[in-house]
């Protein structure tokens, strides 16, 4: 009880100072540790430490009550923002949220967003942009986070490094065939692959991704003949190799309809069957099967027959 009283006492002194009637950009400026100390100069030392420690992400049970006030208020202002700037990646065939940091990233200030993008691209030799989103575009962005298993969104990383669970901002559901975490691990691996990353880091990411794929289910195209599923094979015109197309969700199937019309015709004449990755084992002994291609209309990750066998036998 005494601890709760301390929390509420600190909140009553500080919240009016920290949460004036201002827009989100000004509120986030207040949230940087240095600004905290300046704004709270007139408050007692204990209160200053409470807030500074929270922003610096030092875990302490004492902070939870007062921290929740800040979390709720900032989340409300983000949800009601007229526009945001989302960090998007353009290194793959389609545009996806950039998840190299492990989180989605958004900005409330255009200047800071563009400065971040310029520095990021120069350092990493990549292609990212800060897309301006308004209205339904903001909702759709958070829905894409659900689809790709992106649990957290990072707010203004150069300013205050506050991280929210996606569902704290906009609660969305998505009907995924596989675990969305598989989508996340594949997407992050591919985005990091174009950077000059530490090979040991990439190996760890790859092993985690392949393990997740082996335990997941996918939408596979084909037909049932004599009670047995036969997978659809698509041909790579460059070398004549044949691949089994698998998809993590229905949106990825629809992407193929719009981006690869020739393959779309084959898909439309096939059945969609939900199948565990390990159930593809019997196809891996067919000489003409080169392997599996994931989400061919999107990021198009290929897994050779040898890699598929390794995943299945692990």
């Amino acid at each position: 009880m005494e601890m709760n009283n301390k929390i509420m006492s600190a909140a009553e002194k500080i919240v009016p100072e920290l949460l004036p009637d201002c827009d989100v950009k000004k509120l986030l400026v207040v949230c940087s540790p240095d600004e905290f100390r300046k704004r709270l100069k007139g408050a007692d030392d204990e209160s200053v430490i409470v807030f500074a420690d929270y922003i610096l992400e030092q875990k302490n049970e004492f902070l939870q009550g007062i921290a929740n006030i800040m979390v709720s208020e900032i989340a409300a202002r983000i949800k009601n923002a007229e526009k945001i700037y989302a960090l998007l990646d353009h290194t793959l065939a389609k545009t996806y949220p950039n998840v190299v940091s492990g989180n989605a990233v958004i900005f409330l200030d255009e200047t800071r967003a563009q400065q971040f993008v310029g520095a990021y691209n120069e350092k990493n030799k990549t292609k990212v942009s800060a897309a301006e989103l308004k209205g339904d575009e903001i909702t759709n962005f958070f829905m894409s986070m659900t689809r790709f298993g992106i649990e957290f969104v990072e707010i203004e990383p150069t300013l205050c490094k506050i991280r929210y669970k996606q569902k704290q901002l906009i609660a969305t559901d998505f009907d995924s065939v596989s675990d969305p975490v598989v989508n996340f691990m594949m997407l992050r691996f591919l985005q990091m692959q174009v950077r000059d990353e530490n090979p040991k880091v990439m190996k760890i990411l790859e092993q985690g991704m392949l393990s997740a794929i082996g335990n997941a289910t996918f939408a596979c195209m084909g037909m049932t003949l004599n009670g047995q599923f036969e997978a659809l094979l698509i041909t790579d015109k460059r070398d004549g190799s044949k691949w089994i197309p698998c998809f993590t969700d229905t949106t990825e199937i629809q992407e193929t309809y719009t981006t690869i019309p020739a393959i779309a015709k084959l898909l439309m004449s096939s059945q969609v069957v939900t199948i565990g990755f390990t159930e593809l084992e019997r196809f891996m002994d067919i000489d003409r099967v080169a392997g599996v291609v994931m989400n061919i209309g999107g990021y198009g990750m290929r897994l050779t027959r040898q890699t598929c066998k390794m995943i299945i036998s692990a």
Side-chain angles (χ1 to χ4, degrees):
M1 182 63 72
E2 182 181 352
M3 185 175 292
N4 289 337
N5 290 338
K6 282 187 177 182
I7 292 173
M8 292 314 298
S9 176
E12 287 170 2
K13 292 176 183 177
I14 295 174
V15 169
E17 284 292 312
L18 288 177
L19 305 178
D21 292 329
C22 61
D23 61 27
V24 160
K25 289 181 286 187
K26 292 179 182 176
L27 179 62
L28 287 171
V29 168
V30 171
C31 290
S32 66
D34 288 343
E35 286 296 323
F36 258 117
R37 293 185 174 91
K38 290 177 185 177
R39 290 292 298 272
L40 301 178
K41 196 171 181 180
D44 61 86
D45 290 342
E46 185 181 45
S47 298
V48 174
I49 292 171
V50 166
F51 273 98
D53 280 0
Y54 167 61
I55 294 301
L56 292 171
E57 297 182 351
Q58 295 182 17
K59 300 298 182 182
N60 187 313
E61 185 177 346
F62 172 75
L63 307 179
Q64 295 309 308
I66 198 166
N68 286 338
I69 297 173
M70 285 294 298
V71 168
S72 298
E73 181 65 21
I74 294 174
R77 297 193 181 196
I78 291 169
K79 285 188 283 189
N80 295 323
E82 180 182 344
K83 56 187 174 183
I84 65 172
Y85 299 87
L87 193 65
L88 302 181
D89 184 276
H90 305 278
T91 58
L92 305 176
K94 302 283 287 185
T95 299
Y96 294 98
N98 181 280
V99 294
V100 168
S101 69
N103 312 307
V105 179
I106 65 172
F107 296 83
L108 283 303
D109 179 87
E110 183 178 12
T111 300
R112 281 197 297 272
Q114 298 305 335
Q115 288 174 343
F116 180 90
V117 165
Y120 186 94
N121 284 333
E122 183 177 355
K123 177 182 177 182
N124 299 297
K125 304 297 186 289
T126 52
K127 298 177 183 178
V128 302
S129 68
E132 180 182 291
L133 306 178
K134 296 180 178 180
D136 290 343
E137 293 173 330
I138 297 176
T139 302
N140 291 338
F141 175 76
F142 286 109
M143 286 184 69
S144 75
M145 285 183 61
T146 303
R147 184 162 82 88
F148 289 111
I150 307 170
E151 187 177 3
F152 292 98
V153 56
E154 200 172 333
I155 315 296
E156 297 274 4
T158 58
L159 183 63
C160 57
K161 293 187 180 297
I162 293 180
R163 196 176 70 160
Y164 282 87
K165 280 194 172 185
Q166 177 263 337
K167 291 191 176 182
Q168 287 178 278
L169 300 177
I170 296 178
T172 58
D173 292 311
F174 189 82
D175 184 17
S176 180
V177 176
S178 66
D179 184 342
V181 172
V182 176
N183 239 339
F184 172 78
M185 297 180 82
M186 287 194 285
L187 186 60
R188 190 181 185 195
F189 176 80
L190 290 170
Q191 288 181 357
M192 292 185 72
Q193 206 171 37
V194 301
R195 296 156 47 106
D196 187 19
E197 289 291 337
N198 185 318
K200 291 183 179 179
V201 172
M202 293 306 299
K203 190 64 178 176
I204 292 171
L205 289 174
E206 181 181 31
Q207 289 173 342
M209 175 189 69
L210 295 180
S211 176
I213 289 172
N215 293 319
T217 57
F218 297 90
C220 193
M221 316 299 291
M223 59 184 64
T224 302
L225 297 174
N226 299 321
Q228 188 172 42
F229 175 71
E230 296 297 333
L232 170 71
L233 299 179
I234 57 175
T235 303
D236 187 331
K237 292 182 179 179
R238 293 170 297 183
D239 59 11
S241 59
K242 295 187 180 295
W243 299 80
I244 300 174
C246 290
F247 302 88
T248 53
D249 54 59
T250 53
T251 298
E252 287 295 335
I253 297 176
Q254 291 164 2
E255 292 278 12
T256 305
Y257 291 157
T258 57
T259 57
I260 316 177
I263 293 179
K265 290 181 180 179
L266 290 174
L267 297 182
M268 291 177 70
S269 62
S270 302
Q271 299 172 340
V272 179
V273 177
T274 300
I275 191 169
F277 190 84
T278 55
E279 296 177 63
L280 296 173
E281 181 175 13
R282 65 188 179 86
F283 297 105
M284 296 303 114
D285 290 324
I286 301 174
D287 289 340
R288 61 197 176 105
V289 176
V292 172
V293 57
M294 299 288 186
N295 296 339
I296 190 171
Y299 46 74
M301 174 182 279
R302 289 190 178 193
L303 301 172
T304 66
R305 182 168 59 181
Q306 291 73 23
T307 300
C308 290
K309 285 185 174 182
M310 180 190 73
I311 294 173
I312 292 168
S313 63

